[in-house]
Amino acid sequence: MQIAIFASGSGSNAAALMQYFAGHARVRVGLVVCNNPGAGVIAHAEANMIPVELVNKAGYADADYVLGVLAKYKIDLIVLAGFLKLIPEWLIDAYPGRILNIHPALLPKFGGKGMYGMHIHEAVRASGVTETGLTIHLVNSEYDKGAPLFQVKCSVYESDTASDIAARVLKMEHRFYPKVVEAYATMQH
Ligand code: GRF
């Protein structure tokens, strides 16, 4: 199984995936697709010797172009890791059941448009919930609405800032995302 990681930002989850699958017998990270030339994920890809395709706004709007890039690298599975653009219908149709995302909250709570980055953890903090966590889910054409595959919880303490919550969840993301991707990828075919 050849994976493409789509990422827009610092890429710590992408790095965790690259390290986990380095030398893996059945699953390989073959490509990073990035829409932001200043993203930290690019350095992680270089350090792990994974090719990067930078796709700008016009490129991302061009189905033939994007599908051509994915075909060139023989991509079987797309793993979103902090990718901030909506996945278009044509990409979902081309990869049915083969696009995964991670969201740093217990969906359906704290999901949807505008719920990204620290906005999520600030909303968790403000809501007074005592638990948060992460959700790994299949992707459909609405933000954070695809079928959930996996969730894990952690506590929210009264003394927590939004940054404390973010750090606790991110640590769990790095631990669980590679394992869930591995389980899902090796179930395919
Ligand atoms: C993670 O919290 C992930 O759940 C969300 O975006 C963040 C990406 O962080 N979708 P990083 O770029 O992997 O460090």
Side-chain angles (χ1 to χ4, degrees), residues 9-14 82 102-104 170 173:
S10 63
S12 70
N13 276 288
I102 188 163
H103 186 81
L170 191 63
E173 293 186 51

Side-chain angles (χ1 to χ4, degrees), residues 55 132 170:
V55 180
T132 187
L170 191 63

Side-chain angles (χ1 to χ4, degrees), residues 7-15 41 80-84 101-105 116-117 120-121 134-135 166 169-170 173-174:
S8 307
S10 63
S12 70
N13 276 288
V41 69
L80 310 182
F83 188 64
L84 294 178
N101 184 40
I102 188 163
H103 186 81
Y116 62 90
I120 300 164
H121 305 295
L134 64 83
T135 304
V169 174
L170 191 63
E173 293 186 51
H174 297 161

Side-chain angles (χ1 to χ4, degrees), residues 148-171:
L149 297 173
F150 179 86
Q151 286 191 312
V152 61
K153 291 179 183 173
C154 64
S155 297
V156 175
Y157 303 106
E158 245 174 77
S159 58
D160 279 342
T161 62
S163 306
D164 294 331
I165 301 168
R168 190 171 305 129
V169 174
L170 191 63
K171 212 166 148 193

